[in-house]
Amino acid sequence: MRLILLGPPGAGKGTQAAFITEHFGIPQISTGDMLRAAVKAGTPLGVAAKKIMDAGGLVSDDIIIGLVQDRLKQPDCSKGYLFDGFPRTIPQADALKQAHVALDFVIEIAVPEEDIIDRMSGRRVHPASGRSYHLRFNPPKVAEHDDLTGEPLVQRDDDKEETVRHRLKVYRDQTRPLVDYYSNWAGSDATAPRYRKVEGVGSVDEIKAKIFAALV
């Protein structure tokens, strides 16, 4: 099982990725993890990437694709892999295609933007323990206070509405075009990865069942 998960921030990709990787016995491949590992190991690509990052630059798609190809040669990828947060842009998707990286499925978890804003801006955390709540879906017994300690809950900067709206705009501009890219490719080429759209609204288990039903 070789696949890409697409969807906006807050769509639940991380949660569903964990179910998929466990079920199929495949690794979740993150470009961030690969970069850190390559830099630490001092591989040629890692050295090149470190120079760019130390200078405050963005690592090129060529280096990222090279890292992906190196990573896919590892034994744990023999049964497949799931790409996490990659590709993010059309040029990266093109580079992946030109490198003939095998893919079986592209799954889009589709969630309306207002639902995502509601989900994320309603989150509150207890900093000391990491316990999390949601004002609507999992409220604390006393508003804005932790159930066990009574200490105040906080809203992380990442969950503030203006931050969420900005992240959604970046997704819309940069990554959302991949949905059309992969759906159009699947519609015109029998060798393309199969594209499936799954509605990411409902319980975690309901969404999980929809994804597994799509992976056939």
Side-chain angles (χ1 to χ4, degrees):
M1 180 55 67
R2 302 162 299 191
L3 73 157
I4 291 170
L5 269 188
L6 292 177
K13 296 188 298 297
T15 302
Q16 297 301 331
F19 294 138
I20 294 166
T21 52
E22 183 184 0
H23 180 82
F24 291 105
I26 57 175
Q28 185 168 337
I29 295 179
S30 148
T31 49
D33 290 346
M34 282 189 305
L35 267 174
R36 284 186 286 276
V39 168
K40 191 176 175 186
T43 67
L45 285 170
V47 170
K50 187 173 188 305
K51 272 186 194 167
I52 295 164
M53 290 190 292
D54 286 349
L58 285 174
V59 178
S60 71
D61 290 344
D62 287 347
I63 289 178
I64 297 286
I65 294 294
L67 288 170
V68 167
Q69 289 176 305
D70 283 354
R71 179 68 183 85
L72 299 187
K73 290 172 189 163
Q74 301 295 317
D76 64 338
C77 292
S78 60
K79 289 187 191 173
Y81 37 82
L82 181 150
F83 283 115
D84 169 23
F86 181 82
R88 284 188 192 276
T89 62
I90 298 288
Q92 287 180 350
D94 276 334
L96 208 57
K97 188 177 183 180
Q98 284 154 17
H100 303 292
V101 172
L103 288 167
D104 300 309
F105 285 96
V106 175
I107 302 285
E108 179 199 359
I109 302 178
V111 184
E113 286 197 0
E114 289 307 316
D115 283 28
I116 286 172
I117 291 162
D118 199 20
R119 273 185 201 181
M120 295 177 77
S121 63
R123 290 198 294 217
R124 297 290 185 273
V125 293
H126 176 239
S129 67
R131 276 187 292 278
S132 63
Y133 300 85
H134 193 282
L135 299 185
R136 194 147 71 86
F137 306 121
N138 177 32
K141 290 170 186 163
V142 177
E144 302 286 353
H145 289 78
D146 179 53
D147 286 352
L148 298 186
T149 65
E151 291 168 349
L153 301 175
V154 301
Q155 183 182 38
R156 293 182 310 199
D157 287 343
D158 266 4
D159 292 335
K160 289 180 175 165
E161 184 171 336
E162 60 270 29
T163 309
V164 176
R165 286 191 183 277
H166 174 70
R167 289 173 66 197
L168 287 170
K169 182 182 185 308
V170 171
Y171 172 78
R172 221 169 31 239
D173 293 346
Q174 290 185 4
T175 307
R176 179 68 179 68
L178 289 172
V179 168
D180 296 331
Y181 177 96
Y182 282 111
S183 59
N184 291 338
W185 184 18
S188 63
D189 182 350
T191 65
R194 282 159 286 176
Y195 165 79
R196 302 282 188 267
K197 179 177 180 177
V198 171
E199 295 298 334
V201 178
S203 72
V204 167
D205 284 340
E206 285 167 348
I207 298 160
K208 175 185 172 185
K210 289 182 214 170
I211 290 174
F212 280 105
L215 291 172
V216 290

